[in-house]
Structures are given as structure tokens and as C-alpha cells.
Amino acid sequence: MQLDYIIVGLGLAGLAFTKELDKYKKSYMVFEDNSQNSSIVAGGVYNPVILKRFTPVWNAEDQLKIALPFYKELEIQFHRKYDFPLDIYRIFKSVEEQNNWFATCDNPFLSKYMSTKLIKEKHEGVLANFGYGKLLNTGRIDTKSLLEDYRNYLSQRKLIRNESFQYNALKIKENKVEYKDVFASKIVFCEGFGLKNNPFFNKLPMQEAKGELITIYAPNLNIDFMIKAAVFVLPLGNNLYKVGATFNWKDKSQLPTEEGKNELATKLESFITVPFEIVEHIAGIRPTVKDRRPLVGKHPKHKNLAVLNGLGTRGVMIAPTVANALYNYLENGIELEREISIARFL
Ligand SMILES: Cc1cc2nc3c(=O)[nH]c(=O)nc-3n(C[C@H](O)[C@H](O)[C@H](O)COP(=O)(O)OP(=O)(O)OC[C@H]3O[C@@H](n4cnc5c(N)ncnc54)[C@H](O)[C@@H]3O)c2cc1C
């Protein structure tokens, strides 16, 4: 089988890159083994403001300009809603925080996303004595449904094999690669934290962060916006809310832990006073990088091997932009910005 590309991994990175390939009618085969699930468990929030310090997220405006139409196209393609626009209400802990918020609203970029009104409305079961700051033009992508639909679509077209990619079976030739019965011009590795097992790229400085999330059933909590306080609370409908996430830099397992669950419940109880029941508990590993920027580029020696990784904590916003940049680099010779290129580590 002679193809343009082999893709290893179908999380948000692999999805965004294969979508580029579809757009330009390139042929490909995806290998996916379900060893990682960051994209499936993700909260899916897109938000251009860092809510701890009230500073802009790196390149957020440009990324959103590409990401929102990207998810809209997928909604049209699969006749299903994935993008749920939702305001985020940031609970203020003090008058000082209120003042910081309003001082930041003067920033020309942030003023598009931060309401200048102090929100004082009361919501049953939510402790917010200093009120809220409201973020605008934010939302949540249902990444789990999107990936399910995308994988089914690839299965129907026989473009995905549900098997683990064996790195030692890859044969690298001058202008092509061979893997079992598949010959391709190039291979792109999109394995998330699975990069650690990839002998061609595992020296890149990934500093992965495990995250755990719970879903709660809280019939007395009637909110239709996201709350950000000690943790995020995301309304899913039917009295269900996703709550997360933890950050753990040591534990490399995919499994949810009792410790993670207790941490989330304790943080939640610091501002939610109505009863809730935990109905789901999930975990994944975020492919974060030492300098908090993506990992994009070609292998220094084998030019037909490429990597698309390091989406960190913000894969929803970043994936479409970096997939497009990698495509243009590989197919049209358009140089990558140094900030995202793996050349910065070579
Ligand atoms: C708890 C949590 C909450 C998060 N919340 C948000 C959020 O609200 N907003 C946001 O934007 N981001 C969020 N993220 C981050 C986001 O999930 C990541 O940035 C993004 O999903 C990374 O996508 P990826 O495709 O690079 O990696 P992954 O999703 O890990 O995908 C890699 C894929 O490669 C496959 N694979 C790996 N090795 C092999 C192999 N050898 N053979 C075959 N297949 C292989 C894996 O099975 C996997 O499907 C969150 C992450 C976590 C863990």
C-alpha cells in the first residue's frame, strides 16, 4: 500500500493533522492503540485568559480564529454539536482580586474577553462573597464525542488500524518509510505522552502532567455557566457537572486515584454548598513541555519523520494552528516559527 502519510496517534493532534491531509486530498493510514487518553478525558475548555494571574494565553487570539471555524466544520461534517459556548465566572477571593481584574480589563486584547462589570448575582449553592468576574467568548469542546465520531469516520474509510505502532518495525529509506505492508512518503508522530516510547523523538523535553477529573450529579446546583475557583465546574446538562482538574507531576499512570478524587471534592466543597454525588472519575496525562510550547518539526537526521506534540494544557485551541503549520512546513517548505519548532532543542 503506497500512501502519502502514516500517522501515529489519534488524539487532538492526530485529528487536526489528518483533517489537513483530507483538505489537500493526501492519502494516509492512522495507527491508534488507546494507550493515552488525554484528548478524550479533557475538559475541552477554550479560554484565552490565564485565570490565576489575569494575563493573556500565548497566541490565543490567532489560535481561536483558526480553532472555532475548525470545530464548526467538524460539526457540519458529522451533523453533531461539539462546541458549547459558555461564559466563565471567576469567583473573586478578595477586594484585591476584584481590583486586579478591573485593572487588567484596560488591556486592549483582554478587554474583548473580560467583562468590566462586577457580577454580584446570587446562585444557590455557590459561595461567592466578593462576586464574580465574567469572561466572554469562551466555551467547551466535547472532545470525547468528536474523537468517537472521527475515529468511526476513519474506520468506515478503512484509514485507521487499532493497533500499537511498533517503532522497531519502521524502515527508513531515503525518500520514504516502510511499516509492515504500508509504504509512505512521510510519517507524523502524534502520540501525546506516548512520545516517551518513541526512540526517534523521546529526547525532547516533555514535562508531562497527570490530570484527574470527576463528574458530579448535583440537582440543586442550577448553573448554566462555568465556574472557576479552586477548580473548574463545567455544566454538562441533566444536573451533571465536570469538575477538575488536578496537576500531578510525579505519577505517570493513567489511573484515577483516591488522592485525586479527595483533592477535587475538597476543593469543590470550598465554594459549592449543595450536596453532590460523584458519578465518574477519570484521568489522563497532559503532554506538557518544559517551556510550555508545542513540539513541531522534522527529525534532524531523518527528514521524512515528523512530530506534532506538546499541546500541553490547551490542546483544543492549539491543535488546529500547529497542524496547519506542520502541513505547510512539510508540503510547502514554509518555515516553522522558532517558538514551536523542535529546532529550539536541537
Ligand atoms: C485532566 C485533563 C484535563 C484537560 N483539560 C483541557 C481543557 O479543558 N482544555 C484544553 O484545551 N486541553 C485540556 N487538556 C489538555 C489536552 O487534553 C491535551 O493538550 C491534548 O489532548 C493532547 O492531545 P494529543 O493528541 O497531543 O495527545 P493524546 O490525546 O494523548 O493523543 C495521543 C494518541 O496517540 C496514541 N498513541 C500513543 N502511542 C501510540 C502508539 N505507539 N501506537 C498507536 N497509538 C499511540 C494514544 O492512544 C492517543 O490516542 C486536559 C488534559 C487532561 C489530562
Side-chain angles (χ1 to χ4, degrees):
M1 188 187 295
Q2 179 66 50
L3 300 170
D4 293 314
Y5 281 86
I6 294 172
I7 309 296
V8 182
L10 199 97
L12 284 171
L15 185 156
F17 194 76
T18 54
K19 197 161 175 296
E20 286 291 317
L21 296 179
D22 275 350
K23 190 156 80 187
Y24 296 103
K25 309 236 172 322
K26 299 284 181 190
S27 54
Y28 60 89
M29 177 62 72
V30 176
F31 290 85
E32 169 54 53
D33 67 358
N34 295 316
S35 55
Q36 298 295 322
N37 58 359
S38 183
S39 301
I40 290 172
V41 303
V45 177
Y46 56 88
N47 160 31
V49 184
I50 296 174
L51 284 170
K52 236 185 212 163
R53 288 167 270 144
F54 309 147
T55 49
V57 169
W58 167 73
N59 273 357
E61 189 163 25
D62 292 346
Q63 286 165 9
L64 275 176
K65 269 189 207 145
I66 296 179
L68 295 181
F70 172 90
Y71 295 110
K72 175 60 69 196
E73 273 174 32
L74 287 160
E75 288 186 336
I76 294 168
Q77 182 175 352
F78 297 119
H79 310 288
R80 189 165 176 187
K81 194 164 168 57
Y82 306 117
D83 181 3
F84 296 87
L86 284 172
D87 293 332
I88 299 178
Y89 283 35
R90 163 67 154 81
I91 295 183
F92 291 131
K93 288 192 282 257
S94 60
V95 174
E96 193 191 346
E97 271 203 347
Q98 289 174 349
N99 292 339
N100 289 344
W101 176 279
F102 295 111
T104 313
C105 286
D106 287 343
N107 173 313
F109 165 72
L110 292 174
S111 60
K112 281 182 242 161
Y113 297 100
M114 295 171 75
S115 163
T116 48
K117 270 203 218 133
L118 172 66
I119 310 289
K120 287 189 185 146
E121 60 201 37
K122 299 271 178 244
H123 292 276
E124 189 194 341
V126 185
L127 273 182
N129 294 339
F130 294 93
Y132 309 88
K134 182 171 162 182
L135 284 178
L136 312 165
N137 302 313
T138 50
R140 177 178 78 85
I141 300 294
D142 179 354
T143 52
K144 182 167 185 260
S145 302
L146 172 59
L147 277 159
E148 270 166 21
D149 290 346
Y150 206 85
R151 287 178 183 184
N152 284 339
Y153 156 78
L154 293 183
S155 279
Q156 281 157 13
R157 294 166 68 209
K158 299 198 170 20
L159 299 182
I160 188 165
R161 292 188 187 171
N162 295 311
E163 60 185 64
S164 200
F165 185 85
Q166 307 296 320
Y167 301 95
N168 56 8
L170 182 70
K171 294 191 185 123
I172 305 168
K173 305 278 164 76
E174 180 63 21
N175 284 316
K176 63 176 181 175
V177 290
E178 292 178 15
Y179 182 71
K180 299 181 179 173
D181 60 329
V182 185
F183 301 171
S185 306
K186 296 183 181 71
I187 180 164
V188 178
F189 293 103
C190 311
E191 311 109 314
F193 175 53
L195 181 85
K196 291 279 180 186
N197 303 320
N198 180 331
F200 307 105
F201 290 105
N202 62 3
K203 297 283 180 298
L204 291 170
M206 188 171 273
Q207 234 176 31
E208 59 283 352
K210 179 174 175 175
E212 300 189 37
L213 289 153
I214 52 176
T215 302
I216 59 162
Y217 175 68
N220 298 332
L221 187 66
N222 291 311
I223 54 168
D224 59 359
F225 49 86
M226 285 186 258
I227 298 183
K228 171 71 175 109
V231 278
F232 251 114
V233 179
L234 276 76
L236 302 175
N238 300 322
N239 298 317
L240 295 171
Y241 299 86
K242 214 174 226 196
V243 178
T246 60
F247 269 84
N248 186 324
W249 306 93
K250 289 197 186 121
D251 180 3
K252 308 297 178 205
S253 78
Q254 307 272 346
L255 297 175
T257 62
E258 211 45 37
E259 191 190 348
K261 185 163 81 176
N262 292 339
E263 178 187 329
L264 291 171
T266 307
K267 287 186 170 167
L268 186 65
E269 282 161 353
S270 69
F271 62 98
I272 296 292
T273 56
V274 289
F276 60 85
E277 182 193 342
I278 298 173
V279 294
E280 193 187 32
H281 180 196
I282 46 180
I285 302 194
R286 304 171 183 89
T288 23
V289 180
K290 205 169 71 176
D291 64 358
R292 304 292 177 265
R293 295 290 179 265
L295 297 171
V296 188
K298 283 187 217 170
H299 191 275
K301 187 161 152 233
H302 308 298
K303 301 296 174 201
N304 38 8
L305 271 57
V307 64
L308 186 63
N309 211 313
L311 303 186
T313 57
R314 298 183 193 274
V316 164
M317 289 205 308
I318 300 176
T321 297
V322 289
N324 176 265
L326 180 62
Y327 183 86
N328 278 324
Y329 175 55
L330 296 177
E331 291 294 327
N332 305 319
I334 299 174
E335 275 305 315
L336 293 167
E337 283 178 30
R338 188 159 175 88
E339 218 176 359
I340 65 168
S341 170
I342 56 169
R344 70 192 189 279
F345 297 118
L346 301 175

